[in-house]
Structures are given as structure tokens and as C-alpha cells.
């Protein structure tokens, strides 16, 4: 009786150990975000120097899609360079099962030839493709990506804000996973190795759940606007908000009459949480004008354009996530609130003169 009991315990323990080992050694956690519901790639024919490009042509391979444009100052080159480095970590046999396609959302400037030249700077087998505005929008919408053509500067130059994630299409032409901007080449390579060998296990899709928040995108600022804005900022705003935009050192202390000293405008403050329209209106109309300390109204002193330039300069101090949030490309993942207590030092309450 006793032996039988021990025997059963032993078997159970053995099973438990096996299960544990299976769990530990068989589960792989993707670095990318696995879509709970894969999206079938639309049947669109794009142009490239190699000729027409359809997603269906690359079935049997993993297709890595990135949308951008060749005049993109930093985000596109970084992403393409990371993909190149990731592919270099694969064996040649593995790399042959992956196709990178860069889709330009700027067909007015990016010809097939220019696109071809651009992507081949990164890797000979990368493909650069584009289409008509309708074709591009069809693809971008199907995959839940986004882009905005920004207003041109005085020389007619414009930048394009766009989703900056890399989308992964599986061998059947389904969009199944994406990697956020800034994912390391090694993480990408690990995911690719696993995908090529095992595909995406159903369990990973079920686990994916609705926790996905960031759609990380690239908002690029027009350099000429930023430069003009800096000059204007130094003349109109720096005396209260600080040359480095860090605000008055005591901005966190609330004064008895409810007014507060000029807060930071750089990423350490809260200015990036306002929409572009709200920011424009704060600077034009002022804020708490009835209080001894207030944000002055600038509408009669500088033009809307000048305010836009200043705001471009202000935005140039924010990180990519703050820019994305401001442009409505991203919702914030709730952060644990741990606001440091404001120092209670004596405050000089003379009204600053603009
Ligand atoms: C005379 C000092 C002064 C000048 C000059 C000034 N500001 Fe302010 N600003 C303030 C004060 C004080 C506040 C806080 C007002 C409040 O909320 O009660 C403020 C608030 C702001 C806010 C809201 C920030 C937040 O986190 O709520 C923005 C944006 C802003 N200022 C932009 C500017 C810009 C751009 C300029 C230059 C064109 C400028 N300010 C010039 C004093 C100034």
C-alpha cells in the first residue's frame, strides 16, 4: 500500500519535471508584437526597378515591410540599417528565406530608380517599391499603418511622418507580427530564426491579447523651421522658460494665488501632452492672464507662422515617443505615478516682464 502510494507520487513528480522542462525549453517569447488576428496582404501591384512587385510573389519567404521615404532624415535609414544587420546574423540559407521591401509613401519624389539606388545602399537584395497614392493608401490602411505629408517649408521641401514599425508577412502572405522602431538587430535576428524554423505557434497568437499600445511612428521636423524657431524662442520665450527650456527651477511649486512659474517646454515637462492646436492656442491667447504670474498672449506680437517655428524648435527637444504622442500616433501606456515631491523653498514672486 505504502509502496503503491510512493510509486504514484514518483510518477506524478516525474510528469511534473517533464512538464516543467517542456515549458522552460520549448516556449519562445517573440521580441516583436504578434498580431492576434493576422491580416491578409492586399493584392496590389507596386513598381520597382526590378519590375512589378506583388506580395504574392514572395510567398514561401518571410516578407519584411517598411513604409517610409528616401528623404527621411534618420528613422528610415536606422530601420533599414538594423534590418541589414539582423540579416547578417542569419545563415545565408536563412537569409535567403527573407525579403525586405521598403515601400515609399512619397511617390512624388521617389521614383523607382531613386528607390532602387537607396535601398541597395543597405543591401543588394532589398527591394524599394512605390505606387499611386491610392495603391499606397490601400496598403497602409490594410496594415493599420499611418503617414502624413507635412506642410512644405519656404523652399517647397516637406517631410513625411510615418509609422516606423517593420511589418512581418508570413509565408502565406499574412501580416502576423511587427517590430517596433529601435528593436535591436539581434532581437530581430532571433525572432527571424525562430520564425523560419517554427513559424508562429497558435499559443503565441492567443497570448498576444489586447495589451498592444504603441504604434511607434516618426515625426520629422523641417530643419529650417527649427532653426528659425530657435532664434525666435531665444528672443520671446527664453527669459521665462529658460534657454534650455527647462523652465523656472521652481515651476513645480504652486503659489498661494494658484499661479505658477514658467514650466519646462522640453521633454521633462508636460508640454508634449498638449495637441498641436492646444499649444498654438496657449501661445496665442496666453494662460491665466488674470493671475500675477501668467503665460502672456503673443498673438499681437508674433505671427502664427512664427509661433509654428517656435513650436518646431520646442518639439525638436522631445523624444520620438513624445512626438508621436503629440501627433496622435500613440497612446500612453499608463506609467506608475511617482511624482517627486516639490521642494518647498522660498519663492521670488515678482512678475517676469516679457
Ligand atoms: C513672461 C514669462 C513668459 C514668457 C515670455 C513666455 N511664457 Fe510660456 N508660460 C509662462 C508661465 C508663467 C506659464 C504657466 C502658466 C500657467 O499655467 O499658469 C507658461 C506656460 C506655457 C505653456 C504651457 C506649458 C504647460 O506645461 O502647461 C506653453 C506651451 C508656453 N508657456 C509656451 C511659451 C512660448 C512658446 C513662449 C514664447 C513665445 C512663451 N511661453 C513665453 C510664462 C512665460
Amino acid at each position: 500500500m505504502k509502496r503503491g502510494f510512493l510509486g504514484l507520487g514518483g510518477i506524478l513528480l516525474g510528469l511534473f519535471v517533464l512538464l516543467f522542462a517542456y515549458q522552460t525549453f520549448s516556449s519562445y517569447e517573440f521580441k516583436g508584437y504578434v498580431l492576434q488576428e493576422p491580416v491578409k496582404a492586399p493584392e496590389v501591384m507596386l513598381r520597382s526597378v526590378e519590375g512589378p512587385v506583388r506580395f504574392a510573389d514572395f510567398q514561401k519567404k518571410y516578407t519584411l515591410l517598411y513604409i517610409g521615404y528616401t528623404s527621411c532624415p534618420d528613422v528610415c535609414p536606422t530601420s533599414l540599417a538594423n534590418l541589414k544587420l539582423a540579416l547578417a546574423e542569419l545563415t545565408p540559407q536563412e537569409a535567403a528565406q527573407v525579403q525586405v521591401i521598403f515601400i515609399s509613401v512619397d511617390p512624388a519624389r521617389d521614383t523607382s530608380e531613386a528607390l532602387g539606388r537607396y535601398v541597395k545602399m543597405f543591401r543588394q537584395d532589398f527591394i524599394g517599391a512605390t505606387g499611386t497614392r491610392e495603391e499606397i493608401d490601400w496598403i497602409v490602411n490594410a496594415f493599420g499603418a499611418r503617414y502624413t505629408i507635412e506642410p512644405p517649408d519656404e523652399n517647397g521641401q516637406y517631410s513625411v511622418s510615418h509609422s516606423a514599425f517593420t511589418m512581418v508577412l508570413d509565408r502565406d502572405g499574412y501580416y502576423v507580427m511587427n517590430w517596433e522602431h529601435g528593436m535591436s538587430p539581434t532581437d530581430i535576428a532571433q525572432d527571424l530564426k525562430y520564425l523560419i524554423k517554427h513559424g508562429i505557434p497558435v499559443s503565441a497568437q492567443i497570448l498576444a491579447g489586447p495589451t498592444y499600445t504603441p504604434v511607434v511612428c516618426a515625426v520629422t521636423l523641417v530643419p529650417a523651421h527649427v532653426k528659425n524657431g530657435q532664434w525666435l524662442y531665444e528672443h520671446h520665450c527664453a527669459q521665462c522658460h529658460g534657454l534650455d527650456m527647462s523652465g523656472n527651477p521652481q515651476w513645480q511649486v504652486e503659489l498661494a494665488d494658484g499661479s505658477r512659474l514658467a514650466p519646462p517646454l522640453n521633454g521633462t515637462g508636460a508640454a508634449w501632452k498638449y495637441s498641436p492646436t492646444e499649444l498654438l492656442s496657449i501661445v496665442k491667447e496666453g494662460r491665466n492672464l488674470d493671475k500675477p504670474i501668467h503665460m502672456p498672449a503673443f498673438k499681437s506680437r508674433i505671427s502664427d507662422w512664427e509661433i509654428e517655428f517656435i513650436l518646431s524648435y520646442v518639439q525638436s527637444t522631445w523624444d520620438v515617443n513624445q512626438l508621436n504622442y503629440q501627433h496622435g500616433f500613440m497612446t500612453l501606456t499608463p506609467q506608475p505615478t511617482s511624482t517627486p515631491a516639490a521642494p518647498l523653498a522660498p519663492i521670488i514672486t515678482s512678475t517676469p516682464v516679457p
Side-chain angles (χ1 to χ4, degrees), residues 33-93:
Y33 171 75
V34 177
L35 270 71
Q36 203 170 23
E37 274 180 53
V39 179
K40 179 90 183 125
E43 287 165 26
V44 182
M45 201 183 302
L46 297 173
R47 293 187 308 273
S48 78
V49 267
E50 286 94 352
V53 173
R54 288 169 312 175
F55 297 123
D57 299 339
F58 304 103
Q59 291 186 4
K60 312 267 175 292
K61 286 191 180 192
Y62 278 93
T63 306
L64 312 185
L65 268 193
Y66 186 85
I67 63 162
Y69 66 118
T70 64
S71 334
C72 179
D74 45 11
V75 189
C76 307
T78 322
S79 302
L80 289 176
N82 280 352
L83 290 179
K84 168 204 159 127
L85 291 173
L87 289 184
E89 289 189 28
L90 304 184
T91 64
Q93 290 79 1

Side-chain angles (χ1 to χ4, degrees), residues 110-131:
D110 291 342
T111 61
S112 308
E113 292 71 29
L115 264 171
R117 272 197 306 277
Y118 180 75
V119 297
K120 307 274 183 258
M121 289 193 310
F122 296 92
R123 212 179 129 111
Q124 274 304 314
D125 58 7
F126 281 10
I127 292 179
T130 192

Side-chain angles (χ1 to χ4, degrees), residues 233 236-237 239-241 258-265 270-271 274 279 282-283 287-288 293-296 298 302 310-311 314 352-354:
Y233 177 89
H236 294 286
C237 324
Q239 71 267 42
C240 296
H241 290 280
S259 58
R260 57 174 180 149
L261 293 157
L265 299 181
Y274 295 104
L279 278 182
I282 292 175
V283 182
R287 178 140 296 186
N288 288 335
I293 293 181
H294 59 260
M295 166 68 199
F298 277 88
I302 42 181
I310 295 176
L311 292 177
V314 168
V353 192

